[in-house]
Amino acid sequence: MKYCQKCQMQIENNISKCPLCGESLLGTNDVFVDEYPQTHSLHKYRIAIKIIWFAALLVSGALLIINFMTSLQWLWILAGICSMWYLAISAVFAIRCARNIGLMILVQTMGISLLTFVIDFSFSFRRWSLNYVIPLLLSFSVLLLTVLILCKPLMLRDFIVYLFVIAALGLTPVLLLAFGLATVAWPSIVVGFLSAAVFVGMFLFASRKTKHEMKKRFHV
């Protein structure tokens, strides 16, 4: 009897690759066999997509409120809102097409951040990209990765990589603030706090199996 770590399924046939995902199978002596994957996985994806749309709407509303409260130019607001919705649409498309969602989110975040910085730099460099758009974009990316971790089964290696990506996303605006590139503190602090909270929370609320595997990997 074989076992697929990615699908978390036991397979009775004597084959070397998982018929669902194509990953290599491991040998096991367990007697219990699941013939098909759990049916609630598609429901999880639907919930994840709804959360992504809601998060994009929430962040867009927050940007509009910030603009009215600070009386800043509309250019950075439009850039931020377009960036959020572009990233949300890309994430939903990746979920439905079963692609590498985490890598796509990271690449899209870096590309949109660079684009907003170039736009800001081309228009007298008022630092709205570094002060507001990039930190809020990183916050949205942290939320997307968190939803991905919660709703999609991940191998331990991918789980650890995603956690460190979240930590890096939260650390980036803090470094911009520390080196004086960003001049408004609260957006960078919000991103750093959100990233740290997710990082610690994932360790605290991880399953017993995940904690056991991490202790074995890191010899804790």
Side-chain angles (χ1 to χ4, degrees):
M1 188 176 295
K2 301 296 182 66
Y3 179 76
C4 177
Q5 287 183 328
K6 184 174 182 181
C7 299
Q8 299 181 355
M9 295 295 300
Q10 292 176 323
I11 299 172
E12 190 173 15
N13 295 336
N14 188 20
I15 56 178
S16 59
K17 300 289 185 180
C18 177
L20 298 178
C21 65
E23 293 289 330
S24 298
L25 299 176
L26 301 177
T28 177
N29 295 323
D30 295 335
V31 179
F32 180 77
V33 177
D34 278 340
E35 296 294 340
Y36 301 99
Q38 296 180 357
T39 57
H40 63 269
S41 59
L42 293 177
H43 180 63
K44 286 186 177 181
Y45 289 141
R46 295 191 189 100
I47 294 176
I49 292 174
K50 290 181 180 179
I51 293 175
I52 291 173
W53 291 135
F54 178 75
L57 183 63
L58 188 65
V59 173
S60 300
L63 289 174
L64 292 173
I65 293 173
I66 293 171
N67 181 75
F68 283 118
M69 293 179 63
T70 57
S71 299
L72 295 176
Q73 293 183 352
W74 280 95
L75 180 61
W76 78 271
I77 285 288
L78 295 176
I81 292 177
C82 292
S83 299
M84 297 298 171
W85 284 100
Y86 176 77
L87 187 58
I89 293 172
S90 300
V92 171
F93 178 78
I95 290 175
R96 290 180 174 177
C97 296
R99 297 182 178 179
N100 192 332
I101 307 172
L103 178 61
M104 184 278 304
I105 292 175
L106 181 61
V107 171
Q108 296 287 357
T109 300
M110 295 173 60
I112 297 173
S113 299
L114 180 61
L115 177 62
T116 56
F117 176 79
V118 171
I119 295 175
D120 186 15
F121 189 80
S122 301
F123 289 87
S124 68
F125 194 45
R126 296 179 179 271
R127 298 180 185 269
W128 50 262
S129 59
L130 299 176
N131 288 334
Y132 299 103
V133 176
I134 292 178
L136 290 172
L137 181 61
L138 294 177
S139 298
F140 189 63
S141 300
V142 169
L143 292 175
L144 287 180
L145 291 175
T146 304
V147 171
L148 180 61
I149 293 175
L150 295 176
C151 296
K152 184 178 180 181
L154 297 174
M155 297 180 62
L156 179 62
R157 178 189 60 188
D158 297 332
F159 178 77
I160 295 174
V161 170
Y162 278 31
L163 285 184
F164 279 101
V165 169
I166 288 174
L169 292 176
L171 185 61
T172 299
V174 175
L175 291 177
L176 293 176
L177 184 64
F179 285 101
L181 297 176
T183 57
V184 180
W186 69 264
S188 299
I189 294 175
V190 168
V191 181
F193 177 78
L194 176 63
S195 177
V198 171
F199 190 87
V200 174
M202 287 299 172
F203 277 107
L204 293 178
F205 296 101
S207 65
R208 184 177 301 178
K209 180 180 179 181
T210 301
K211 291 180 180 178
H212 179 67
E213 290 294 329
M214 293 182 68
K215 288 180 180 179
K216 289 198 304 184
R217 295 288 182 90
F218 294 101
H219 304 285
V220 178

